[in-house]
Structure formats: C-alpha cells, structure tokens
Amino acid sequence: MPTSTQSMSDTNKLREKTQLRIAKSLKKRHASERRFKAFGMGAVGLALSFVLILFVSVFSKGIPAFWQATVSLNVYFDPEVINIEPKPVQLSGESAGEFQQRMLAWQGQVGMVNFNRIIVNSLAKEIPEAPRYQRDALRLITSGERFALRDMLVNDPSLIGKTLRLDLLADANVDVWLKGNIDRDLPDSRQQLSARTRAWADELADRGVIQNKFSTALFMNVDSRSSLASAGLAGAFMGSVFMMLIVMVLSVPIGVASAIYLEEFAPKNKLTDFIEVNINNLAAVPSIVFGLLGASVFILWFKLPLSAPFVGGLVLTLMTLPTVIIATRSTLKAIPPSIRQAALGIGASKTQAVFHHVLPLALPGILTGAILGIAQALGETAPLLLIGMNSFVASIPSTPMDQSTALPVQIFLWQGNELRNFFEARTSAAIIVLLALMISLNALAIWLRRRFETRW
C-alpha cells in the first residue's frame, strides 16, 4: 500500500514538473510572438512615418507653387503704339502661298510692336512713376507676358483701341520676394530686384493689385528660360503621355503574348529555361543600361530623332517588358489546373482552353501587372537622359516624333535651376503632379483587380 502511494506521489510530481515546463515554454512562445508582432508593427510604423515625412515635405513646399503672384491691370491696346495694317484676308484668285506670305509679313509687323510700352502705360495707372523708371517697372511683370499680349492681338486684331482687365504674371523674383522666400534684410547688392521695384511690389500687394492666384501657367505653358515665371509642364506632360501610349501599345501585347506562350505552349527544355532566366535577369537590370541600349540602337543605328517621345517609348518598352512577362506568368500559374483539365475534358483544344477559359480568369492580374509596369516607366529618368530628352524644348509636341521632354526629366532640370528660391517650390509642385498620375495608375490597378477578380 505505501508503495502505491509513493508511486502516485511520484506521478503527480512528474505531472506538475511537466505542466510547469509546458507553462514556461508556452509563456516563452507567447512572449516571442508578442515581440514579433511589436517588431512588425514598429517596422510598418517606421515605414509609414518615412512616407509621411516625404509627403509632408513635398506637399508643404509644392502646394504654395500652385498659386502665383499675379498683377491685375487695365491694359489699353493703344492704337498709337500698335501702328499696324489690318489683318490680311485672302482675296479671290489669291493662292494659299501668296496669302500665307502676306500673313507672315503682317505677323512680323505685330511682332515689332513695343508691347513693353503698353505694359508700362498700364502700370502707370497704378504707379505714376512707372514711365520715368521703365526698367524697374518692367521687372514687376515677367517678360513672357508681352508675347502673350502679342498672341492675343494676332488672334483678335479688334482689340486695338480697347481696354481689358488682364491678370499678368509677376516676375519670378517678385513672386519670391512677396512670398518671403528670400531674406528681406540682405543688402541691395545681393538682391535680385532694385529697391524701387521691391517697394512697388509691396505697395501693389498691399493695395490688392498683386495677388496670389491659382497658376494655370504651370499646366498650360511650356518650359521657359527667359521668362521663368511662365515656365510650365505642358510640354513635359504631353511628352510623358506620348511615351506611355507607346509603352501601352507595345509592351502590353508583346509581354502578355510572350508570357502566354512560355507558360502554356512552350516545351520545357534548356532553351526555354535559358529564356526564363534571362527574362528574370532583365527585370533586375538598372534602367540606365536600357538608356545606353536605346541610344546605341535607336539613335545611332536606326537614326531616329533625338529626344523624341517615340524613342523614349521604345526604351521604356524594353524596360517594362520583363515586368509584364513575369507578372503575367505568375497570374497564369495561379489559375487552378482543374480549369484547363475541365476545358480539355469537354473537347476544347489547347488554344481554346487557354484563350476561352484561362485568360479571362487571369485578366485582372495581367492588367494589374501591366499598369504597375507602366506606372514604373512613368517615373523613370535615367534612360531618358541618355537619349537626349533633357534638352530644352519650348513647344508642345504634336506627334511622338517631335522633340520633347518628360515629367521626371523636367523635375530634374528645374531642380538644377539657379533661381532655387523659385524653382524649389515649383519642382515640388511638379513632383505632386507626377505622384498624382502614378497614384491614379496604381488606384486603377487596384480597382481593376477587385472589379474582375474571381475567387475559387
């Protein structure tokens, strides 16, 4: 009997030790799990904080650039200053060439009009001393506005003798001065504007003649080196649009077709293995390498025009193809084999099974991968620099073969401008525009995935 009691006691002690050991182990595992969750949440929080810092920095600098100092004036198109002949009208029996020649001669007359005098006379209504100090007065208005007045007159000669209330862009240095982006205590020798111009700018701002208004010039104008306040993103935006169209037309069909063949039809041998390895390697190649390839092949060999969106689109297509192929193949692999087997079981051919059953189910993933690849190409800069798209182009491209730049390259060029007080904010504004386009593409990819996604 004592032996049995001793045995039960030993058993209970062993059970207690085992339970204690299990409790300690469980407590240790729970503590390890809590630490892992804490580290994970910390990593996510750290990443989000860096993203937040980036967005706050960019938006805090860029948002003010969407509003620009603007001078509201009553502009009188004085007939004594605008001494030109009436706008030519094509005569009966006159050839198109003769009429064009007369029109160009008339436009030359308009170009010789002293629009600076018209601006000074308009400023004289607000600043009586403006005609006496014309040079200081003209520094209030950016030089590009006289060309805007010229274009208005060319389009509508009936403006001669009329007075219009117009909003003229202030000079970039005036914008910087009024926004407080330059130290007002600097001596005159280190100021970009004369003391008289600065005083006039403050006076007009106090009277409401100069106001910060939403800058349509940022979106409607092309880049400018002579009239910095008029510099805009229109040319770069159209260049990026043309390039993205070329990338969509070329990279998506070619990439999807290549992925379908490799995944569904290609025999599994050393050649296809070699192709797959190289596609994966191409996806990791630095983008500048594709720029070197484009410069040597498309420009030096095929003699395509330098800094053309067409060439940029071809280079970005080469860079995007591996991403599209890999994303499409991953989507096709995710389709259950039972879909293929069921299609083949009811008598469908291999081609019918792929294109009628597998491909429609893989469409959301294919679209997502293609859009993400295009969004990545939209933000590339290095390959475009190597094909000359960093050249100054003062016109909006009308075709993909015209010279142009792109949004990322325009940001790069503005960042290096010598008037940093003005272009630092403008660069951030351009980054906001680029981010808006990329976020829109990513949002479209998410929507398409949710819209067409099929769950099994």
Side-chain angles (χ1 to χ4, degrees):
M1 198 68 180
T3 305
S4 176
T5 304
Q6 183 68 30
S7 175
M8 290 178 62
S9 176
D10 293 341
T11 303
N12 291 335
K13 289 181 180 179
L14 181 61
R15 184 183 297 112
E16 290 177 358
K17 289 182 181 180
T18 303
Q19 291 175 348
L20 182 61
R21 205 164 42 244
I22 292 174
K24 289 182 179 180
S25 175
L26 189 61
K27 183 179 180 181
K28 189 175 181 180
R29 290 198 302 270
H30 287 170
S32 176
E33 184 178 356
R34 286 194 297 269
R35 285 196 301 271
F36 178 77
K37 289 182 178 179
F39 288 144
M41 293 177 63
V44 172
L46 187 63
L48 291 177
S49 64
F50 284 135
V51 172
L52 181 62
I53 291 172
L54 171 65
F55 274 79
V56 169
S57 175
V58 171
F59 277 79
S60 62
K61 294 179 181 178
I63 292 297
F66 288 104
W67 282 263
Q68 198 167 346
T70 306
V71 186
S72 297
L73 295 175
N74 290 319
V75 179
Y76 176 53
F77 291 85
D78 192 349
E80 295 184 1
V81 179
I82 310 175
N83 187 15
I84 59 174
E85 298 177 357
K87 186 175 183 179
V89 178
Q90 189 168 9
L91 304 175
S92 59
E94 184 180 27
S95 66
E98 293 173 343
F99 172 69
Q100 183 68 19
Q101 187 175 2
R102 290 199 300 120
M103 180 62 73
L104 291 175
W106 180 79
Q107 291 177 356
Q109 290 183 10
V110 177
M112 296 300 293
V113 172
N114 188 0
F115 288 100
N116 283 339
R117 184 178 171 186
I118 292 178
I119 293 175
V120 170
N121 292 341
S122 302
L123 285 170
K125 301 171 186 176
E126 303 291 343
I127 308 172
E129 294 181 332
R132 183 179 176 185
Y133 303 100
Q134 293 190 22
R135 178 173 297 181
D136 292 331
L138 288 172
R139 289 300 303 274
L140 290 170
I141 309 294
T142 187
S143 60
E145 292 297 351
R146 65 174 180 263
F147 301 113
L149 294 178
R150 178 201 63 188
D151 294 339
M152 290 176 60
L153 190 61
V154 169
N155 294 329
D156 186 8
S158 65
L159 293 176
I160 299 176
K162 295 182 180 179
T163 300
L164 295 180
R165 186 73 174 179
L166 299 177
D167 290 333
L168 305 180
L169 288 176
D171 188 80
N173 289 300
V174 174
D175 184 83
V176 170
W177 172 261
L178 294 177
K179 288 181 178 177
N181 294 334
I182 190 171
D183 188 0
R184 289 179 170 245
D185 296 329
L186 292 175
D188 289 347
S189 59
R190 297 182 60 185
Q191 296 284 358
Q192 296 293 328
L193 299 172
S194 66
R196 184 176 292 107
T197 303
R198 299 198 303 270
W200 285 345
D202 290 333
E203 177 186 349
L204 294 177
D206 292 338
R207 288 160 48 190
V209 178
I210 298 181
Q211 296 179 352
N212 275 333
K213 296 186 178 181
F214 187 77
S215 176
T216 57
L218 182 64
F219 301 96
M220 304 301 294
N221 292 358
V222 295
D223 193 17
S224 175
R225 291 181 178 174
S226 59
S227 178
L228 301 181
S230 303
L233 297 170
F237 182 83
M238 287 304 302
S240 292
V241 168
F242 280 132
M243 285 192 297
M244 292 306 103
L245 289 175
I246 293 169
V247 171
M248 285 189 288
V249 169
L250 295 179
S251 69
V252 176
I254 296 175
V256 172
S258 302
I260 291 174
Y261 175 76
L262 290 173
E263 187 63 30
E264 302 292 342
F265 297 100
K268 304 302 179 183
N269 52 35
K270 292 183 178 180
L271 177 60
T272 55
D273 291 341
F274 177 77
I275 294 174
E276 292 176 5
V277 169
N278 280 276
I279 289 174
N280 293 329
N281 290 335
L282 283 175
V285 170
S287 59
I288 195 169
V289 176
F290 290 99
L292 291 171
L293 175 65
S296 60
V297 174
F298 299 130
I299 294 177
L300 298 181
W301 190 10
F302 289 110
K303 305 299 181 182
L304 293 176
L306 192 68
S307 69
F310 180 71
V311 180
L314 292 177
V315 173
L316 295 179
T317 296
L318 294 177
M319 191 192 73
T320 309
L321 270 175
T323 303
V324 176
I325 293 174
I326 292 172
T328 303
R329 293 194 65 187
S330 298
T331 303
L332 293 173
K333 287 180 181 179
I335 304 299
S338 57
I339 301 293
R340 301 173 177 83
Q341 295 168 2
L344 295 175
I346 60 175
S349 65
K350 178 71 172 178
T351 303
Q352 290 175 327
V354 171
F355 285 95
H356 294 177
H357 300 276
V358 176
L359 194 58
L361 296 176
L363 185 61
I366 294 173
L367 291 176
T368 301
I371 292 174
L372 293 179
I374 293 170
Q376 178 189 3
L378 178 63
E380 286 296 336
T381 307
L384 303 181
L385 295 176
L386 293 176
I387 61 172
M389 294 198 74
N390 59 331
S391 58
F392 174 73
V393 180
S395 61
I396 299 177
S398 56
T399 67
M401 301 302 292
D402 295 336
Q403 287 188 330
S404 175
T405 184
L407 281 175
V409 179
Q410 190 66 69
I411 293 170
F412 172 78
L413 295 175
W414 279 0
Q415 180 61 28
N417 193 282
E418 59 183 8
L419 189 57
R420 291 190 58 82
N421 289 342
F422 180 75
F423 275 100
E424 185 176 8
R426 220 162 179 82
T427 301
S428 297
I431 292 174
I432 292 173
V433 174
L434 182 60
L435 284 176
L437 290 175
M438 297 182 69
I439 291 173
S440 299
L441 288 174
N442 289 329
L444 178 62
I446 295 173
W447 181 82
L448 288 173
R449 173 175 285 277
R450 291 182 177 179
R451 175 67 177 79
F452 297 103
E453 189 173 19
T454 302
R455 299 182 184 274
W456 296 284

